[in-house]
Amino acid sequence: MSAANWMRPFTRSLGRRIVGLFLVLLLVVQAVGFVAIGRGIDANARSQLDEQMVLGERVLQRLMTQNTKVLSDGVILLSRDFGFLDAVSSGDAATVGDALDNQAARIEANFAALFDPELNLVASGHSSQRAVLALKGMLQTGPSGRLPSSVLTLVDGRPFQFVVSPLKPPQFNDVVVMGFPLDQGLVNEVEALSGVQLALVTSLPDMTNASTLMSSKSAVNAPVLATLMPGRSETTIDVEGRPIEKVVARTVVLSSETNGELRAVLYRSIDEAVAPYRRLQAFLGLITLIGVIVFTLGSMLMARHLTQPVQVLVAASRRLGDGDFDTPVCDEALTRSDELGELAVAFDGARGNLADATAQIRQLAFWDKLTGLPNRVRFEALLRDASAQHAQVAVLVFNLDRLEKVNQLLGRQQGDRVLRCAAERLQALARRLPELPLGGDECVARLGGDEFALLLPGAGEDRACEVAVQLQQLFESPVALDDSVVDLSAGIGLAVGPAHGDSAEALLAHALLAMSEAKRRMAGMLVYQPSIDAGSAQTLSLLGELRQALRLQELRLYLQPKLGLVDANLVGAEALVRWQHPVRGLVPPVQFIPFAEETGFIHELTLWVVDEAARLWSVHAANGFELRLSVNLSAHDLMKADLLARLVARLDHHGAPPRALCLEITESAIALDPVRALQTLHALKAHGFKLSIDDFGAGYTSLAQLIDLPVDELKIDMLFVRTMDKDADKASMVGSLIRMAHDRHLSVVAEGVENAVILEQLRELGCDEGQGWHIGKPMPGSELQAWAASRWPERVPAAVSHRHVA
């Protein structure tokens, strides 16, 4: 293997980290060990030095004790010498002096003297007079009545050790004193016996002239020793042949007199004490360096052993990231018997599982699992592609009615069957549409829940409406679920781009909005208009214009006649609002009524319609043309606590009674808050208003639920009426509704009478009143009386029959 290939693992992050981590740990451990060893050596050296200082002090004391004994023995021998004693008795000073010198020489003393009891000098041989004077002064300062046996004192700045002994009493009362200086020999002997250097230092009483008298030969120019205080201390000194070094010192006061203080300073170099250990520490450092090198090489080998299979797995993971799920992990990694081999095997197994899971995820990401149709994500992508390829594109979104009821009553499994059946029908329709490519399968999608969508590339609004009608017919036939039959109806919303949205998201959102509005209005199918989008700029502008329309009297009240089917007499009219816009012209209610309901402005429109209807009723009544007018109430109106008071105030303003109006309420308005709605309806009923259920049959209210409603009239929705001449089932349903309403003592109004056939059918079924374009189109309220006079000249302005008006 080449050096480049061998080192490759260590150029990668993991290899560097393994080697670096282990190396750092090793160095940290060694560094901590070195620091601990260094501190231990230093502490141990200082401890040994302290012990040596104590030993040196003991050696010094032992030597000085031996010197004292030598002097004492000399004095004793001298005091027993009869020749000396005869000389003392005779008073021969010269003979005494010779005897003292002979004895001093015999014991190597430097000083010998004899004092009388008054401490006057008797004889001193060749002793220094300064020493005699110093000694005499020292003896005179001793304790009263007693002489010291041993004395250390300074003579001419030199330390002397003296022994004092009286001659044998009572014959003699003189005192013999012998002594010798503490010289370099004592210093050298202490160093030789204890291994500790010694310096004898002295200072004057004011401590301003400290000096070193003598010291070990190795010490050069060490005046700092003379300034050390008694006890242990550390300082630095100049040492011959070496730079300044630090020493441990122990200072002992040997003598403290009025003429100065004598101290012994025992010291030794710290560096010399730790030098053997430093050599050992250096040897350990060399071993550590060799260990680090060996450890680094071993770590690199181990890192390579670890990182090589990891690199194999990294390469495999990159292949997975690029979408390659077929290439397995190399055999070298799979055949390893350690944990990395197990990891490689597990990774390769995960690769296979990931390949399967990715295929499933792709399926789930773009396709609905239950129905097999494209999902919302896939549909939006198709919608974007179609918008880019075609000048216009239509989107139909529809929502299945009563699916939640199926889930609640029959279970989720049956609900899923309904969804699959709806998907199959939708796919069948798509395959029949010529404008859809590839059989149309991908142009059909389930958006989620009970919502489906159909994409029509290149289709305009007219074609989209045609397909929407086919969709409605597609779901007219029920679905058989075991022992149950479920009717499939759907609310459909349409949006055509780019008119209704310049992006796929906006187009789909507007189609969904149109679908929701279609279900709310129970219109079956609805094309998106800006008026149903409370968040669009056009809608916001429309709200401001609508408020302005009230102030500028741009609204117009239209009336659509209601015909009594028994006697063909005009029995009433429904009040409808129109907007005469100064720019847009006559705006139909479908463009602003839903928006007014969304924003809550519908209540202001209701009050305007009531006010205008009351005014027209009063005008017509004054002309002998008294006619009940029907006014629609919204859910917002029923939620107003002061609704009754506001209605009565407008009627009173124009002098119209409550019987002048019939208030029509939709099923959805009651369902919003049934309790509160019932309270309002009972209050209106008690005040004399006629109440009617509008658009009955398009919602979920049953006749059984009408028991609790204080209504007088039932208005059948036009979805049942306008095609009953062609659909026998719807004609039969209308007949059933009429009979059941009459059983509840309710009058019935059929809305959506479009031709004479329907009118005759309703008359035969016993319907009370009819309303529709065949009877009369909505017209301005001021034209109703003229229109009625042209139809019934003999009855207008005669009183209107109220046979069917309760």
Side-chain angles (χ1 to χ4, degrees), residues 433-720:
L433 297 177
E435 60 264 49
L436 297 186
L438 301 175
D441 286 349
E442 286 203 350
C443 292
V444 180
R446 181 190 177 198
L447 302 182
D450 55 0
E451 293 179 353
F452 294 84
L454 177 63
L455 174 62
L456 299 176
E461 183 174 330
D462 293 340
R463 175 56 180 164
C465 290
E466 293 176 3
V467 175
V469 172
Q470 296 180 43
L471 268 177
Q472 287 180 316
Q473 295 173 351
L474 188 68
F475 289 103
E476 285 180 353
S477 58
V479 175
L481 299 175
D482 298 332
D483 297 332
S484 303
V485 177
V486 178
D487 291 328
L488 285 183
S489 60
I492 304 174
L494 287 78
V496 180
H500 297 154
D502 55 1
S503 67
E505 292 76 10
L507 197 61
L508 184 58
H510 289 162
L512 287 167
L513 187 63
M515 178 201 70
S516 299
E517 185 64 18
K519 291 180 70 67
R520 191 186 68 81
R521 299 184 190 180
M522 291 167 290
M525 178 186 68
L526 186 65
V527 179
Y528 170 77
Q529 296 175 352
S531 60
I532 65 176
D533 184 2
S536 68
Q538 295 180 2
T539 299
L540 295 176
S541 174
L542 188 65
L543 176 60
E545 294 179 3
L546 194 56
R547 293 184 183 277
Q548 186 177 2
L550 276 179
R551 295 194 302 269
L552 301 181
Q553 299 181 357
E554 296 176 359
L555 299 181
R556 302 288 183 267
L557 189 69
Y558 276 53
L559 298 177
Q560 185 175 24
K562 296 169 67 175
L563 184 69
L565 301 185
V566 176
D567 54 7
N569 194 21
L570 185 66
V571 295
E574 181 176 3
L576 305 171
V577 65
R578 297 291 186 270
W579 182 5
Q580 189 64 47
H581 195 279
V583 177
R584 304 179 187 180
L586 190 64
V587 181
V590 70
Q591 294 186 8
F592 65 90
I593 292 297
F595 165 71
E597 291 179 345
E598 290 287 339
T599 59
F601 191 72
I602 188 66
H603 186 60
E604 301 300 324
L605 291 181
T606 299
L607 295 179
W608 181 88
V609 171
V610 171
D611 186 82
E612 187 66 13
R615 185 188 67 79
L616 280 177
W617 187 90
S618 298
V619 171
H620 291 159
N623 295 330
F625 187 56
E626 187 172 319
L627 199 66
R628 173 175 285 158
L629 303 181
S630 298
V631 176
N632 289 283
L633 294 183
S634 68
H636 290 279
D637 298 324
L638 292 179
M639 297 302 105
K640 297 293 183 179
D642 58 347
L643 175 64
L644 177 60
R646 290 193 174 195
L647 296 181
V648 172
R650 279 157 176 75
L651 291 175
D652 292 344
H653 178 71
H654 297 288
R659 60 180 174 82
L661 300 181
C662 175
L663 303 179
E664 296 184 356
I665 306 98
T666 62
E667 299 173 75
S668 59
I670 299 174
L672 184 63
D673 189 347
V675 176
R676 193 168 181 179
L678 280 175
Q679 293 175 349
T680 303
L681 293 178
H682 280 291
L684 294 172
K685 177 69 175 179
H687 205 75
F689 289 98
K690 182 180 180 181
L691 302 180
S692 174
I693 293 295
D694 194 15
D695 298 334
F696 185 81
Y700 300 100
T701 306
S702 65
L703 284 173
Q705 292 173 303
L706 293 177
I707 297 175
D708 298 327
L709 299 179
V711 296
D712 307 285
E713 180 181 275
L714 190 68
K715 196 171 186 180
I716 302 175
D717 189 81
M718 65 176 63
L719 292 176
F720 298 97

Side-chain angles (χ1 to χ4, degrees), residues 138 141 151-154 205 255-262:
M138 183 270 299
T141 59
V151 176
L152 283 175
T153 188
L154 296 175
S255 173
S256 180
E257 303 295 340
T258 57
N259 61 340
E261 186 178 70
L262 176 63

Side-chain angles (χ1 to χ4, degrees), residues 105-346:
R106 191 176 298 119
I107 64 172
E108 298 181 353
N110 293 71
F111 179 86
L114 179 66
F115 294 89
D116 62 14
E118 286 77 21
L119 299 180
N120 295 316
L121 180 64
V122 175
S124 63
H126 295 92
S127 298
S128 171
Q129 293 300 314
R130 286 182 176 271
V132 172
L133 294 175
L135 182 59
K136 182 179 179 180
M138 183 270 299
L139 293 174
Q140 289 175 347
T141 59
S144 177
R146 294 184 60 185
L147 293 175
S149 61
S150 180
V151 176
L152 283 175
T153 188
L154 296 175
V155 178
D156 292 334
R158 294 179 63 196
F160 274 78
Q161 184 175 8
F162 296 99
V163 172
V164 180
S165 178
L167 295 179
K168 294 177 64 174
Q171 293 89 348
F172 303 98
N173 291 322
D174 295 334
V175 178
V176 178
V177 179
M178 299 186 74
F180 51 79
L182 302 180
D183 54 11
Q184 188 68 37
L186 176 65
V187 172
N188 295 337
E189 192 172 1
V190 170
E191 181 177 1
L193 293 175
S194 65
V196 177
Q197 285 80 35
L198 172 65
L200 296 176
V201 298
T202 183
S203 62
L204 297 178
D206 58 2
M207 296 297 290
T208 60
N209 191 21
S211 63
T212 301
L213 299 179
M214 60 195 72
S215 64
S216 298
K217 295 179 180 179
S218 60
V220 179
N221 188 23
V224 68
L225 297 177
T227 63
L228 297 178
M229 300 300 292
R232 185 188 185 281
S233 60
E234 293 186 12
T235 187
T236 56
I237 62 172
D238 294 332
V239 180
E240 181 181 5
R242 295 196 300 273
I244 295 175
E245 61 182 27
K246 196 169 186 179
V247 297
V248 172
R250 182 178 182 86
T251 303
V252 180
V253 178
L254 299 178
S255 173
S256 180
E257 303 295 340
T258 57
N259 61 340
E261 186 178 70
L262 176 63
R263 285 173 287 170
V265 180
L266 301 156
Y267 64 94
R268 190 178 176 193
S269 171
I270 298 177
D271 294 336
E272 289 181 356
V274 300
Y277 300 103
R278 296 302 183 197
R279 288 191 292 271
L280 177 60
Q281 195 173 20
F283 181 70
L284 292 176
L286 178 60
I287 294 177
T288 300
L289 179 60
I290 297 173
V292 168
I293 295 174
V294 174
F295 187 82
T296 301
L297 295 176
S299 297
M300 293 173 67
L301 292 174
M302 178 61 69
R304 178 182 176 275
H305 186 68
L306 292 175
T307 56
Q308 189 174 27
V310 172
Q311 291 298 322
V312 171
L313 295 180
V314 169
S317 65
R318 287 174 178 169
R319 290 195 299 271
L320 292 181
D322 295 337
D324 180 8
F325 300 103
D326 299 327
T327 304
V329 179
C330 70
D331 294 336
E332 182 181 354
L334 293 174
T335 55
R336 290 175 64 107
S337 59
D338 56 6
E339 289 82 355
L340 289 175
E342 295 178 1
L343 176 61
V345 172

